[in-house]
Amino acid sequence: MAKLPKAFYCGADVISIARQLLGNVLVTRIGGEITSGMIVETEAYQGVTDRASHAWAGRRTDRTEIMFGEGGKAYVYLCYGIHHLFNIVTNQKEIPHAILIRALEPIQGIGVMLRRSGKEKPEHTLTSGPGSLSRALGIDRRLHTGESLTGKNIWIRKGKRTLKTSEIVASTRIGISYAGPDAYQPWRFHIRGNPWVSRAKGLDPGEKIKGRPTTRLL
DNA sequence: CGACCGATCGTCT
DNA sequence: GACGATCGGTCGA
């Protein structure tokens, strides 16, 4: 199966790329063990102009440096001291766009995923949610940050078919109520009706706006 | 169900 | 010294 090429990640429109990623397959190979899952939920982060982005206002630190490089590499950071969240860097050098992968539908190596996650059955929580999917696929900040997505440790394989527009739902991003106006941007995408999409436990307080839907069909 | 809370540590101020 | 692009557990209605 064909890996998505580097050029795919270097595109200028991070929103479009976040939508196109749905239906493709994230694969890791660690110590000879292959695990994979179909991407069913993503969030786009628009760099320096996006208050929810780690690179907002041009913040450039050791942690975020990788985002300022060329697209097609992994940005993995530690959240709440526990979870490794997996992002894909997009766009050209000096434009720090990124896409967070929030949920997968397990495909390959389910036994390995269960072992890593300490679970017995492939229930919804195995790969639903950014922290959970990283644990299942063995994604680790120290192991994967800076890794090329066209290399042999972690990559994205083209899915079997292209999704119809009507199968993609846009909504507000999760857990970023600190981002002010940008908390209302409909930059979270998921596959309509897919059971592996993460459960937004309830919208952030700031997301509850009168007269404006937080989820809409594109 | 929903609300709340503790875990746990790298990163930034 | 404070705080997270989270998760899983508990508690009460």
Side-chain angles (χ1 to χ4, degrees):
Chain A
M1 283 296 215
K3 288 177 188 177
L4 295 183
K6 182 178 172 185
F8 173 82
Y9 302 105
C10 293
D13 186 352
V14 68
I15 305 298
S16 168
I17 298 172
R19 295 180 47 183
Q20 290 179 64
L21 280 170
L22 295 174
N24 291 298
V25 180
L26 176 63
V27 187
T28 60
R29 181 177 176 281
I30 302 169
E33 293 183 314
I34 300 266
T35 47
S36 70
M38 180 173 74
I39 297 169
V40 301
E41 181 179 351
T42 61
E43 280 180 1
Y45 287 84
Q46 292 231 57
V48 301
T49 61
D50 179 0
R51 290 181 101 91
S53 169
H54 291 166
W56 174 62
R59 290 163 191 235
R60 189 167 184 157
T61 64
D62 287 347
R63 182 178 66 151
T64 63
E65 184 61 29
I66 190 67
M67 296 176 78
F68 288 81
E70 270 195 312
K73 291 185 177 175
Y75 167 48
V76 184
Y77 74 96
L78 188 64
C79 187
Y80 292 98
I82 299 174
H83 306 289
H84 295 257
L85 301 210
F86 171 68
N87 294 255
I88 293 162
V89 176
T90 69
N91 216 309
Q92 302 292 321
K93 207 164 179 289
E94 304 303 325
I95 305 179
H97 288 180
I99 297 165
L100 172 69
I101 305 301
R102 288 193 55 89
L104 302 175
E105 176 177 323
I107 295 179
Q108 204 173 354
I110 292 175
V112 175
M113 295 191 213
L114 290 171
R115 188 192 72 222
R116 288 178 182 145
S117 299
K119 297 180 188 300
E120 300 195 343
K121 295 179 180 178
E123 56 199 6
H124 176 261
T125 54
L126 182 64
T127 53
S128 184
S132 300
L133 75 86
S134 285
R135 194 175 28 160
L137 294 221
I139 295 172
D140 180 275
R141 164 183 145 265
R142 308 232 280 229
L143 205 55
H144 292 105
T145 283
E147 276 291 295
S148 167
L149 296 174
T150 52
K152 58 184 181 185
N153 299 318
I154 184 167
W155 65 90
I156 296 174
R157 168 181 10 119
K158 197 164 166 49
K160 288 182 179 171
R161 67 185 186 88
T162 303
L163 297 176
K164 299 172 191 167
T165 307
S166 62
E167 292 178 279
I168 299 176
V169 181
S171 58
T172 52
R173 296 171 292 179
I174 306 295
I176 54 151
S177 54
Y178 58 83
D182 287 329
Y184 304 121
Q185 300 287 176
W187 292 341
R188 167 177 176 242
F189 304 98
H190 68 268
I191 299 179
R192 174 176 293 279
N194 186 289
W196 297 90
V197 170
S198 75
R199 304 245 171 96
K201 290 183 179 175
L203 300 164
D204 289 336
E207 291 178 340
K208 292 176 181 170
I209 324 164
K210 270 186 184 172
R212 188 191 320 208
T214 51
T215 299
R216 67 186 169 88
L217 179 63
L218 280 185

